[in-house]
């Protein structure tokens, strides 16, 4: 009887944790799904280069791939295509497509929330540390962007990096049009920090 109660309590706690994490996904239509990809047969060399680089076992020590270009040169299509390609082989942790015209997709904290969710989905130790932060009485939804980053990414990362990394915890993230974020410099610093601390993460960014 006591074991059954414990199992029911565990299920309830897990459901509450899932709901707590889902609240971080606050930007609608921000993933690569439904976005225009490259025309078949184009940008093959670049897409192959990105796919090769994205392999976590690659000898390339740089974990941040920044794709620059003038507006309209097809960066978003490349981001959508590599996201689809990585997703098809189970290597995509998540994607976020910024958009200047939509508050949900230009606010840094919306991007940070999605990043934290992606990281939690890819690393059990980070997930537990993040949940602890979200349940901390000191954490409030009204906190500033820097404090928000500290609570949901920096602190959980500092804890999770002390845990063993396996092939199951390697993670690829694609961020498109970072230059359309309302605070590009702050968002860029956050991405650099993640890649400099988390050996199990690689991020492709277009801007």
């Amino acid at each position: 009887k006591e074991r059954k109660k414990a199992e029911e309590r565990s299920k309830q706690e897990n459901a509450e944790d899932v709901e707590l994490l889902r609240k971080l996904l606050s930007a609608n239509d921000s993933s690569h799904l439904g976005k225009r990809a490259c025309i078949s047969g184009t940008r093959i060399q670049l897409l192959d280069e990105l796919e090769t680089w994205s392999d976590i076992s690659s000898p390339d020590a740089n974990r941040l791939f920044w794709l620059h270009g003038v507006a309209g040169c097809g960066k978003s299509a490349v981001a959508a295509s590599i996201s689809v390609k990585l997703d098809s082989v189970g290597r995509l942790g998540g994607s976020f497509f910024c958009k200047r015209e939509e508050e949900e997709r230009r606010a840094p904290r919306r991007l940070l929330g999605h990043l934290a969710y992606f990281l939690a989905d890819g690393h059990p130790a980070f997930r537990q540390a993040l949940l602890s932060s979200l349940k901390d009485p000191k954490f409030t939804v009204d906190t500033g962007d820097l404090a928000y980053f500290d609570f949901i990414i920096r602190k959980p990362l500092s804890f999770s990096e002390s845990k063993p990394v396996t092939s199951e915890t390697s993670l690829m993230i694609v961020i498109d049009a970072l230059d359309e974020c309302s605070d590009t410099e702050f968002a860029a610093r956050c991405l650099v920090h993640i890649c400099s601390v988390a050996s199990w993460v690689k991020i492709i960014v277009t801007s």
Side-chain angles (χ1 to χ4, degrees), residues 6-21 127-128 131 135:
E7 289 176 350
E8 290 176 351
R9 186 164 55 249
S10 177
K11 288 181 181 178
Q12 182 180 357
E13 289 173 351
N14 288 337
E16 291 173 352
D17 288 348
V18 169
E19 183 60 28
L20 195 58
L21 290 172
R127 175 189 172 92
Q128 291 307 312
L131 285 168
K135 295 173 183 177

Side-chain angles (χ1 to χ4, degrees), residues 29 31-37 80 84:
D29 193 34
S31 80
H32 66 284
L33 298 176
K35 304 298 188 297
R36 187 173 63 182
V84 170

Side-chain angles (χ1 to χ4, degrees), residues 56-196:
I56 204 73
S57 63
S58 168
D60 191 336
N62 185 7
R63 295 194 290 273
L64 183 62
F65 193 112
W66 213 297
L67 184 62
H68 293 282
V70 296
C73 71
K75 301 185 300 296
S76 292
V78 170
S81 292
I82 191 60
S83 294
V84 170
K85 202 166 189 178
L86 293 172
D87 199 17
S88 69
V89 293
R91 289 169 56 194
L92 181 69
S95 61
F96 192 97
F97 282 55
C98 302
K99 192 170 184 179
R100 186 176 292 109
E101 294 81 9
E102 298 180 17
E103 193 280 332
E104 288 184 349
R105 291 166 59 186
R106 68 169 182 261
R109 69 186 298 112
R110 303 295 184 104
L111 170 60
L112 294 177
H114 283 247
L115 284 171
Y117 184 91
F118 300 154
L119 296 172
D121 197 43
H123 198 301
F126 181 91
R127 175 189 172 92
Q128 291 307 312
L130 173 59
L131 285 168
S132 295
S133 283
L134 294 175
K135 295 173 183 177
D136 189 327
K138 297 177 183 177
F139 176 76
T140 67
V141 294
D142 297 324
T143 187
D145 287 349
L146 181 57
Y148 188 65
F149 172 74
D150 285 343
F151 263 104
I152 70 170
I153 293 182
R154 190 183 63 79
K155 290 179 181 178
L157 272 180
S158 65
F159 174 80
S160 62
E161 276 306 289
S162 65
K163 304 299 180 181
V165 177
T166 66
S167 58
E168 286 75 30
T169 57
S170 55
L171 194 73
M172 266 302 306
I173 297 173
V174 177
I175 308 296
D176 178 59
L178 191 67
D179 54 311
E180 297 193 24
C181 178
S182 58
D183 192 341
T184 302
E185 185 177 341
F186 170 68
R189 289 201 306 270
C190 293
L191 297 180
V192 169
H193 177 82
I194 291 171
C195 290
S196 65

